Amino acid sequence: GCNNEVAAPDIEQVPISFTANLPTLSVDSQTRATSFVKGDQVGIVATNVDNESPLPTAEEWSVGNLYMNHIVGTMGDATWTHGYPEYSISLPSVWYWHFEANKYLGFVAYSPIPSTDAKITRPSNDMNLTVQRGVENNFFPDLLYTDVMGNYNKSRVSVLLDFKHAMTRLAVKVIAINKDGKVLESGHPVDKLQIVSLNINTKVTQGIFNLVSSQWALSSPATNVNGQTAYTLVDPNAPQKIPYTDASTSTYLLPQTAATNTALLSSLNIKIKDTSTDIEVGGEYTLDKFKQLDETPIKLEMGKTAILVVKLQYTAIQPNLPTIKMEGQLVDWDYKGTSTVVITK
């Protein structure tokens, strides 16, 4: 929502002021935790509209109709006047509302901006942002956007930019359970287990985000293309114990569209070793193998966290079999519960 301050008298020019809000972590829903930092920059676009409604059409965002053409704003300190953090935004120069009360503006904004993050570009002089891969472990940006807001005239005074996440975030957990599904935290066999490698790979390395429709367009990769390592969560030089929770909060992938299923085109690659026997289990599993409570594959949705849980299930070990049989369940419990895919070796 926006804060509607007292209307100014008709005799003066009214500056446009902006503040920004970004929802933070809700433990219940496992949505994402992040906030702006003083000095962060946002791109702001305003377009001219003749009436208070409807919101501007795609055609009305043409360059010739823009009032503010991707103007850069800089975040200031957060205030808590309305019970949530609002960040003040400073502009390079003052922008005024139209003097006439019958002239309105529609707004959108986004962050980061191309000049501060090479993974985001605006190759055409339009309302599309291209998001492309960076380097391993800094593979995709956490692109933030607002819905189209408006239409406002000078009586609005201040515009609150409500940002949302355009990407999907991944959170990875690895646990061991017994045959009854109870988590094994310590003792045999957990103490002998090590995750020796854990990577997230993807074949979808570029997308186009339209700021007006808030929609992605992705290019499907060629059938013979190999996935690229986007994130290394566990490096073979630094194996991790089980239970394991990925401490990273910046594992982002492009969300799926009707035409391109990024869950099918991305994968988790894990190797787990029993140090008492040197037996390794694991493999590469496309993310659509992670099943939800209703047995449907996990979806990579805009603004959601996909929690990927690998479960190693230990069944009764016969005395004459000194090795351990390891089974894994890849589980998503974000919103919709758990289900199973089993790795057997």
Side-chain angles (χ1 to χ4, degrees), residues 72-188:
V72 175
T74 303
M75 294 289 172
D77 293 313
T79 63
W80 291 80
T81 311
H82 300 95
Y84 50 83
E86 286 177 76
Y87 297 83
S88 61
I89 297 176
S90 60
L91 302 175
S93 58
V94 179
W95 286 79
Y96 293 96
W97 293 99
H98 289 303
F99 183 76
E100 300 86 353
N102 63 346
K103 288 192 173 178
Y104 294 86
L105 296 172
F107 296 89
V108 291
Y110 57 92
S111 182
I113 59 172
S115 61
T116 63
D117 193 328
K119 298 184 293 294
I120 297 176
T121 57
R122 200 163 59 87
S124 308
N125 200 10
D126 59 17
M127 298 298 288
N128 288 316
L129 299 176
T130 297
V131 172
Q132 56 211 356
R133 59 151 295 177
V135 296
E136 188 177 321
N137 290 343
N138 185 18
F139 204 77
F140 285 125
D142 182 13
L143 177 63
L144 305 173
Y145 72 100
T146 67
D147 290 328
V148 174
M149 295 172 293
N151 302 328
Y152 306 141
N153 64 6
K154 63 182 181 180
S155 67
R156 169 65 59 166
V157 182
S158 180
V159 178
L160 173 62
L161 304 174
D162 261 326
F163 282 93
K164 302 178 180 182
H165 296 273
M167 304 292 284
T168 304
R169 186 174 80 89
L170 301 185
V172 180
K173 297 181 178 184
V174 184
I175 59 174
I177 58 173
N178 66 12
K179 62 182 172 59
D180 301 317
K182 186 172 183 292
V183 176
L184 304 171
E185 302 250 356
S186 60
H188 181 77

Side-chain angles (χ1 to χ4, degrees), residues 283-294:
E284 184 166 13
Y285 308 95
T286 54
L287 300 189
D288 65 315
K289 297 290 194 293
F290 290 77
K291 304 293 185 183
Q292 301 177 115
L293 186 60
D294 59 4

